[in-house]
């Protein structure tokens, strides 16, 4: 039962974070940020979000920008999910480079 609740909350946070990033990156032409996966701790205090950034060359720069603005992102998330969650979790962001890894494997297989 607890696992189901964690998955539902993680999906809710993933959806809301993706909407936040979509609104923020709309002004930055040529950049797309998507939330590929969210994991939440069992006590609901920490949410780890994995971001897929296109183009991947600007990934580190955008991740640093996101980490500098984590308080405003958490506030925005809190205003969106305040009726569903009592405590808004601490946010941690990491780059999800699985698509780059898959692309690299495909290139190696073609050779």
């Amino acid at each position: 039962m607890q696992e189901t609740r964690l998955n539902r909350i993680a999906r809710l946070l993933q959806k809301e974070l993706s909407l936040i990033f979509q609104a923020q990156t709309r002004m930055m032409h040529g950049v797309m940020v998507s939330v590929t996966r969210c994991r939440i701790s069992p006590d609901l205090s920490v949410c780890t979000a994995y971001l897929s950034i296109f183009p991947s060359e600007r990934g580190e720069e955008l991740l640093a920008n996101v980490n500098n603005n984590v308080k405003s992102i958490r506030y925005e998330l809190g205003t969106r999910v305040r009726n569903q969650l009592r405590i808004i979790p601490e946010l941690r962001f990491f780059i999800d480079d699985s698509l780059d890894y898959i692309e690299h494997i495909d290139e190696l297989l073609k050779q």
Side-chain angles (χ1 to χ4, degrees):
M1 188 69 178
Q2 184 71 12
E3 186 75 22
T4 305
R5 181 170 182 247
L6 289 177
N7 288 337
R8 292 171 94 196
I9 292 172
R11 279 184 284 159
L12 172 72
L13 294 176
Q14 179 180 0
K15 184 182 97 171
E16 294 299 333
L17 282 173
S18 66
L19 292 174
I20 290 169
F21 285 124
Q22 182 181 16
Q24 288 183 354
T25 59
R26 188 170 290 150
M27 295 169 268
M28 300 173 61
H29 298 289
V31 174
M32 187 173 71
V33 177
S34 59
V35 182
T36 58
R37 183 176 50 199
C38 277
R39 295 217 171 131
I40 191 143
S41 63
D43 63 349
L44 305 178
S45 65
V46 178
C47 174
T48 305
Y50 294 92
L51 305 177
S52 177
I53 300 172
F54 181 81
S56 59
E57 295 83 30
R58 296 187 60 190
E60 293 296 328
E61 171 192 346
L62 286 172
L63 183 65
N65 189 11
V66 166
N67 284 328
N68 288 337
N69 296 319
V70 74
K71 287 185 181 181
S72 63
I73 295 170
R74 184 176 180 205
Y75 175 77
E76 178 71 25
L77 181 66
T79 58
R80 290 174 178 254
V81 298
R82 69 173 174 246
N83 295 327
Q84 287 98 0
L85 295 177
R86 189 178 313 163
I87 298 172
I88 306 304
E90 174 189 338
L91 298 174
R92 295 182 183 161
F93 295 102
F94 296 99
I95 292 181
D96 183 17
D97 57 354
S98 61
L99 293 177
D100 294 334
Y101 181 73
I102 291 170
E103 185 177 311
H104 177 69
I105 295 295
D106 284 342
E107 288 176 11
L108 291 176
L109 289 174
K110 286 180 183 177
Q111 291 178 356

